[in-house]
Amino acid sequence: LKGGTCPLTEQWEIYVAEKKRRGHKKTLYDHSASERENIIADCGGRSFVSNQVNNWVFRKLVYEYEKMTNLSKPLRGELDSHFPIVTGHIEKTLTSADDTRKALVRYPDGTGVECVSIPSDKRVTFCISTMAGCPGRCLFCASGKHGFIRNLSRGEMLSQYLLLSESINDYPANTVLMGSGEPLLNFDETRGFLFILNDQKLADLGARRITVSTIGIPEGIIRLAEEELQFEIAFSLHHPDEKQRRKLIPLSRKYPLAAVIEALLVYRRKTNRVPTFEYCLLEGINDTLQCAHKTARLAKRVRAKVNLIPYNTFCDDFRPPDRDTVFTFRGILEQEGVTATIRRQRGADIDAACGQLAGRR
Ligand code: SF4
């Protein structure tokens, strides 16, 4: 059995990848606030040093201890050798005609992931990867085509955020977890990263400025709802018919649509946030009038809005529908009383648009 099609082979690959990852040096922010204070105390720092480091990292765009001039030299050296703030480096950056910037971040074990900064008006949104590769194996997605490599730690996700901030000399106004990976299948590390983003002493991004995108992992959606924080949630529907959806998103066969809808209802009730259905429009596959009506019915059940994403071509298997079909689809949703938007394509010329991130060398 080749290509990870055997469940045992897949489990073994995940086990080996995790073991390898755990052997890595953790970053300072892989640790909780109290652990960071203990680490700094063990390295000879006073109790206020933790706040000083946070200020450098999250207010002044400084990630090298060497440049943290209000820390003693021995402390800087000690922290630098054992608890780096950023792991990995930007190996390559591509900037699109619309100023969208895609960075390939290479971690010390050689794993590469892509992350994107997307400017609009005066605000910038970062798109962060939560896994290298993805077990989702969605047929229309570059990350899925390459299969799962390994989970990323919260420190590795933060490294993408900080390296991108450094590259644009600013922090983002919004962050979306829509790069490669299924965030809710890497729940603990994703949760840790979300809390770093939302912490007022750290990145200080309001929960409503952070979006978690998922193919619909009911257990993960409910666990996130239990945090009772108002993170935005984007559910990748892509087809309203369960059988067809399983073909497009093979991993979804483990998570029945009915259970996902129930979980989204819980999410809505606990957080008071309106879920978004992401819908990648593929010509002749999911762009029919019938699909539009079925999608409207599902959206109305959770009072979700729908974001239509005409397919960003990365392989010849699919094509985006023509403009009229996209607008007709949106028209039907609106007639049925569902708020629907069409996502503007960003960064397609550098393969940074939705579904095009792959972490290729
Ligand atoms: S669309 Fe999302 S879940 Fe599907 S393969 Fe791509 S990254 Fe994974």
Side-chain angles (χ1 to χ4, degrees), residues 134 136-138 140-141 143-144 179-181 215:
C134 183
R137 297 185 184 268
C138 302
F140 49 84
C141 172
S143 311
S180 57
I215 61 150

Side-chain angles (χ1 to χ4, degrees), residues 51-69:
N51 279 341
Q52 288 178 321
V53 173
N54 291 342
N55 275 335
W56 283 108
V57 175
F58 293 100
R59 306 288 176 266
K60 299 181 188 171
L61 292 160
V62 170
Y63 319 129
E64 290 115 350
Y65 290 110
E66 196 44 47
K67 294 182 185 162
M68 299 183 184
T69 46

